[in-house]
Amino acid sequence: MKVDSVTNSLQLEIMNELLTNITKNNSSSSVLAGTQSNSFESIIENLLNGNQSSAASNNNQSSVGNVDVSKLPILKSKDNITADVKYDVGVSNLSIEQAVDNASKKYGVDKNLILAVIKQESSFNPNSTSSCGAMGLMQLMPGTASELGVNNAYDINQNVDGGTKYLKSLLDTFGNSKMAIAAYNAGPGAVEKSGENINRLPSETINYVSKVSAYYSANQNNNV
């Protein structure tokens, strides 16, 4: 069915309802009747011009007779209907996979290890925030993010680049992935104090190293 025929049909129904209600009120004073007549003519004219809001305005009333003009349906063309679009300002156009691949090549860190850390830190949620304030995919603390040159820790590219840069420094410091993973969780000072002995670190860190190592191995096996 064409939109024009639907519009015309609806307008006829509205006019008939208005006419019926005004006729019922013919027993009112001549002044009121005259006002209704003028209002009716104004409304009909505006309806035919496709401007119902103007009809209500010209009447200077919210209703005519028993018809509430403010509630009359207003037809819109599909060109005037815009779907709501929501944007996540914390996420760049770069995908996690692309960001990890870029950081891996830039800093020489196995991308499987980067993915393992991200999995444990945020489960791949770029908008994740911990109770202690760690932010984004690789859960960077505000101070650490600032030192790494990360302006927006919720931006995928910046977060992965900064987190990988930090992970690279830990790999260079301790020489192996397990100690670097432990330092990523507990801090390099805690690892140094433990004599690089996993068993002397907090249980939270021991569990963290175990899970990240398992993810790392799984990633390597899947990419063989």
Side-chain angles (χ1 to χ4, degrees), residues 58-200:
N58 290 338
N59 188 41
N60 292 322
Q61 294 176 304
S62 63
S63 63
V64 176
N66 294 325
V67 180
D68 188 346
V69 177
S70 66
K71 295 182 179 179
L72 293 178
I74 299 176
L75 296 180
K76 296 181 180 179
S77 68
K78 63 181 180 180
D79 294 333
N80 293 328
I81 301 174
T82 304
D84 290 336
V85 179
K86 297 180 179 179
Y87 299 94
D88 188 341
V89 296
V91 181
S92 67
N93 291 326
L94 204 62
S95 70
I96 295 174
E97 184 178 2
Q98 289 174 317
V100 169
D101 191 55
N102 290 345
S104 174
K105 293 174 181 177
K106 181 177 180 180
Y107 298 108
V109 177
D110 189 344
K111 66 179 181 180
N112 294 310
L113 180 58
I114 301 172
L115 289 169
V117 170
I118 292 175
K119 168 63 178 175
Q120 180 58 29
E121 289 288 347
S122 66
S123 194
F124 298 97
N125 178 6
N127 295 314
S128 176
T129 304
S130 73
S131 58
C132 62
M135 304 172 289
L137 288 169
M138 299 188 75
Q139 292 290 276
L140 304 178
M141 292 296 291
T144 303
S146 180
E147 290 176 4
L148 294 169
V150 176
N151 297 318
N152 181 4
Y154 296 104
D155 178 272
I156 290 175
N157 186 53
Q158 289 190 46
N159 188 286
V160 173
D161 185 89
T164 303
K165 182 179 181 180
Y166 181 54
L167 185 58
K168 169 63 174 175
S169 70
L170 297 175
L171 287 166
D172 289 343
T173 298
F174 297 104
N176 67 81
S177 62
K178 284 195 173 183
M179 287 297 104
I181 294 170
Y184 196 96
N185 176 259
V191 173
E192 291 173 353
K193 188 175 180 179
S194 73
E196 298 186 25
N197 184 339
I198 290 287
N199 295 324
R200 295 179 62 183

Side-chain angles (χ1 to χ4, degrees), residues 7-20:
T7 303
N8 291 334
S9 177
L10 179 58
Q11 289 175 344
L12 285 174
E13 288 182 25
I14 294 170
M15 287 188 285
N16 286 333
E17 186 174 4
L18 284 169
L19 184 58
T20 299

